[in-house]
Amino acid sequence: METENPVNYKYMGRSFNDLSINDDSTAFSDCNSDRSGEFPSASSQNRRLLLACANSENSDELIRQLVSDLDSCSIDEQKQAALELRLLAKNKPENRIKIAKAGAIRPLISLISSSDPYLQENGVTAILNLSLCDENKELIASSGAIKPLVRALRTGTSTAKENAACALLRLSQVEENKVAIGRSGAIPLLVNLLENGGFRGKKDASTALYSLCTVKENKIRAVEAGIMRPLVELMADFGSNMVDKSAFVMSVLVPVPEAKTALVEEGGIPVLVEIIEVGSQRQKEIAVAILLQICEDSVLFRTMVAREGAIPPLVALSQSGTNRAKQKV
């Protein structure tokens, strides 16, 4: 597996240390947990009882019973068990460990392949919540979760797709899983979610792609799947609240030649120049870093950047920007 490390760029005789944008904590801070619905309102009393029991000495026994119910012949019992395990794992790290140790992971993975959309959705979401615990990530992947999660990304409800994207993100935080996820067919589906999903789906897809595309072969898969078009469109739409996320994803893609070419073909240069003119300080820094990588080895691309009017805003940024921005310019 080839994971790309920060490198030093040289351009017109100047050296720029690590042009990767590392301040991504704000841009990618919200793909953390289950954000789907709770119990239906008619079951609010059941939810209160469940959470009260989870805080008692009987929580271990409750978890064992729920795990047993996952293998029930009754779909209704399976649904209820998956739902309650999802909620138990949602906010309590200690419950995530208990549920995994009780043997819930394999039956929950089986539910992800269910033809019942509600059962699939709760299976996906329970796995997502369990994957928030670092101790569970390798066990979830080794238990065969990746392919069913990719299937849910293709066929699930909108919530199942969003939570599957988040679960794949969490599993991708184990470096060894990135290639497996990419080879499972996840990249084109994430690109599709980025292009056609709702606001949350776009955010979750961009976050997962940002993590997965630190591996070179996944960068190429993303470009081949047509990622540059939605990235450019989202970067051009300042009302989308996706400019930062899209730019961060683009910044990890452009080191490969295929991405540079695709970005130019999709009209990315004028969009990047506009960001340097009117974007936030961080957006300007990302745009400059991307443009520098585009121009590094191509006289043609440097000419195109100049013709788009990039020189005046770059000069302005060199005079008024942050020290980091000035270094890049």
Side-chain angles (χ1 to χ4, degrees), residues 17-203:
N17 295 325
D18 185 12
L19 288 177
S20 61
I21 306 295
N22 297 315
D23 183 20
D24 58 1
S25 57
T26 301
F28 295 111
S29 61
D30 55 357
C31 189
N32 295 321
S33 65
D34 165 16
R35 284 164 287 161
S36 53
E38 304 293 350
F39 281 100
S41 57
S43 302
S44 60
Q45 184 177 5
N46 289 344
R47 179 173 181 267
R48 287 194 296 270
L49 290 172
L50 170 64
L51 295 180
C53 188
N55 291 325
S56 73
E57 296 177 356
N58 297 324
S59 62
D60 289 350
E61 182 179 348
L62 170 64
I63 288 170
R64 283 194 294 271
Q65 181 59 54
L66 292 173
V67 172
S68 177
D69 289 346
L70 290 176
D71 292 320
S72 171
C73 295
S74 166
I75 290 182
D76 288 339
E77 285 187 8
Q78 288 181 315
K79 287 180 181 179
Q80 187 68 18
L83 174 62
E84 294 184 5
L85 286 168
R86 167 173 76 79
L87 291 172
L88 282 169
K90 181 172 182 178
N91 296 312
K92 284 188 166 291
E94 60 269 29
N95 283 344
R96 295 168 193 153
I97 295 173
K98 288 181 180 180
I99 291 168
K101 287 184 176 179
I105 288 175
R106 287 189 183 276
L108 284 171
I109 290 172
S110 296
L111 297 187
I112 297 175
S113 299
S114 172
S115 59
D116 184 296
Y118 188 76
L119 200 54
Q120 181 191 56
E121 184 178 304
N122 277 297
V124 168
T125 310
I127 288 294
L128 163 61
N129 290 347
L130 292 175
S131 73
L132 300 178
C133 174
D134 288 340
E135 294 181 30
N136 291 339
K137 289 184 175 74
E138 291 188 19
L139 177 58
I140 291 171
S142 65
S143 297
I146 291 174
K147 288 185 178 179
L149 286 170
V150 172
R151 193 177 304 118
L153 198 58
R154 179 184 297 109
T155 65
T157 64
S158 59
T159 297
K161 290 179 179 179
E162 292 162 356
N163 288 345
C166 278
L168 290 169
L169 163 68
R170 295 299 152 190
L171 297 184
S172 76
Q173 292 170 341
V174 177
E175 281 295 316
E176 291 73 15
N177 292 335
K178 292 184 179 183
V179 168
I181 293 171
R183 292 176 180 177
S184 71
I187 301 294
L189 296 172
L190 289 167
V191 171
N192 183 64
L193 186 60
L194 178 69
E195 187 166 18
N196 299 309
F199 179 52
R200 187 197 151 189
K202 292 178 188 294
K203 291 196 298 181

Side-chain angles (χ1 to χ4, degrees), residues 203-265:
K203 291 196 298 181
D204 294 346
S206 67
T207 309
L209 287 163
Y210 180 76
S211 175
L212 289 167
C213 288
T214 58
V215 176
K216 184 175 181 179
E217 68 179 68
N218 286 343
K219 298 181 201 286
I220 296 172
R221 287 191 181 94
V223 174
E224 291 176 345
I227 193 173
M228 282 302 170
R229 177 175 297 176
L231 286 180
V232 170
E233 290 176 351
L234 289 169
M235 287 173 59
D237 182 2
F238 284 87
S240 70
N241 291 319
M242 285 290 298
V243 176
D244 292 47
K245 285 181 171 61
S246 301
F248 273 112
V249 176
M250 188 174 287
S251 73
V252 300
L253 293 171
V254 290
V256 299
E258 296 89 341
K260 292 184 176 77
T261 301
L263 185 154
V264 173
E265 290 176 349

Side-chain angles (χ1 to χ4, degrees), residues 9 11 16 18-21 210 228 231-232 235 242-256 259-264 267-273 275-276 282-298 301-302 305 310 314 317 325 328-329:
Y9 291 93
Y11 177 53
F16 299 83
D18 185 12
L19 288 177
S20 61
I21 306 295
Y210 180 76
M228 282 302 170
L231 286 180
V232 170
M235 287 173 59
M242 285 290 298
V243 176
D244 292 47
K245 285 181 171 61
S246 301
F248 273 112
V249 176
M250 188 174 287
S251 73
V252 300
L253 293 171
V254 290
V256 299
K260 292 184 176 77
T261 301
L263 185 154
V264 173
I269 289 177
V271 172
L272 290 165
V273 173
I275 290 173
I276 296 171
R282 182 172 66 173
Q283 291 165 359
K284 291 178 180 181
E285 291 177 4
I286 304 170
V288 170
I290 295 170
L291 281 177
L292 183 54
Q293 291 184 72
I294 293 171
C295 293
E296 184 186 20
D297 297 314
S298 173
F301 292 166
R302 287 200 290 269
V305 169
L314 285 171
L317 187 61
K328 292 178 176 64
V329 175

